């Protein structure tokens, strides 16, 4: 039987992924962890998807909801719930960042209405696939 010995309970893959991600290293020099605007909460944790700044304006009109977005001169960071990369490879040149580390120069350029800072990850993924010309992972043929 899989799981916690002697407890009668099994650990699911989701639990194992969260345990592993709980062991994240501290922020690197010159990088700070995201701080959401006052009055906002992150009930699902917080990760970020970085994209080159030139792609940001192409993505915005393709989204049903835009959460908090941070930017510096070269990248935009879209705030998504933790583990939004679970079983998903984000299309290049996007970069998925666990724990939402941001460079010191990043500033908030979009704040949504309400108290939740997230951009829905699946629409963001699909918008990024569209603007980068990438076929979504689940639409690719299986290799033999």
């Amino acid at each position: 039987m899989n799981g916690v010995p002697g407890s009668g309970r099994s650990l699911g893959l989701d639990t194992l992924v969260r345990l592993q991600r709980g062991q994240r290293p501290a922020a690197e020099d010159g990088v700070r962890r995201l701080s959401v605007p006052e009055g906002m909460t992150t009930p699902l944790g917080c990760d970020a998807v970085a994209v080159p700044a030139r792609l940001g304006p192409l993505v915005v009109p393709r989204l049903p909801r835009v959460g908090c977005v941070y930017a510096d001169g070269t990248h935009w960071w879209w705030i998504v719930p933790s583990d939004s990369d679970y079983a998903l490879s984000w299309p290049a040149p996007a970069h998925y960042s666990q724990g939402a580390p941001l460079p010191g120069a990043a500033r908030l350029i979009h704040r949504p209405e309400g108290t939740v800072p997230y951009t829905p990850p699946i629409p963001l993924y699909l918008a990024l696939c569209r603007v980068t010309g990438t076929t979504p992972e689940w639409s690719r043929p299986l290799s033999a």
Side-chain angles (χ1 to χ4, degrees):
M1 178 171 162
N2 294 334
V4 180
S7 73
R9 296 178 14 205
S10 62
L11 295 177
L13 186 56
D14 291 339
T15 302
L16 294 172
V17 167
R18 289 193 188 280
L19 286 172
Q20 177 202 15
R21 292 196 172 168
Q23 300 173 6
R24 293 181 177 152
E28 300 170 13
D29 290 336
V31 176
R32 64 181 167 89
R33 292 285 176 205
L34 171 76
S35 172
V36 296
E38 188 173 328
M40 298 195 114
T41 62
T42 55
L44 302 175
C46 203
D47 288 347
V49 177
V51 300
R54 64 182 166 73
L55 297 180
L58 301 174
V59 172
V60 170
R62 292 177 161 79
L63 295 172
R65 179 184 192 283
V66 178
C68 286
V69 180
Y70 293 79
D72 64 9
T74 60
H75 289 89
W76 285 24
W77 287 266
W78 305 82
I79 304 309
V80 296
S82 291
D83 303 326
S84 293
D85 65 333
Y86 178 69
L88 188 65
S89 296
W90 287 80
H95 175 73
Y96 190 88
S97 298
Q98 296 175 4
L102 299 175
R107 66 184 180 9
L108 183 68
I109 61 169
H110 184 267
R111 178 192 169 139
E113 295 290 325
T115 62
V116 180
Y118 306 124
T119 295
I122 297 301
L124 178 58
Y125 172 82
L126 292 171
L128 286 168
C129 285
R130 180 74 175 181
V131 301
T132 62
T134 304
T135 301
E137 197 167 83
W138 53 77
S139 296
R140 295 179 192 147
L142 296 175
S143 301

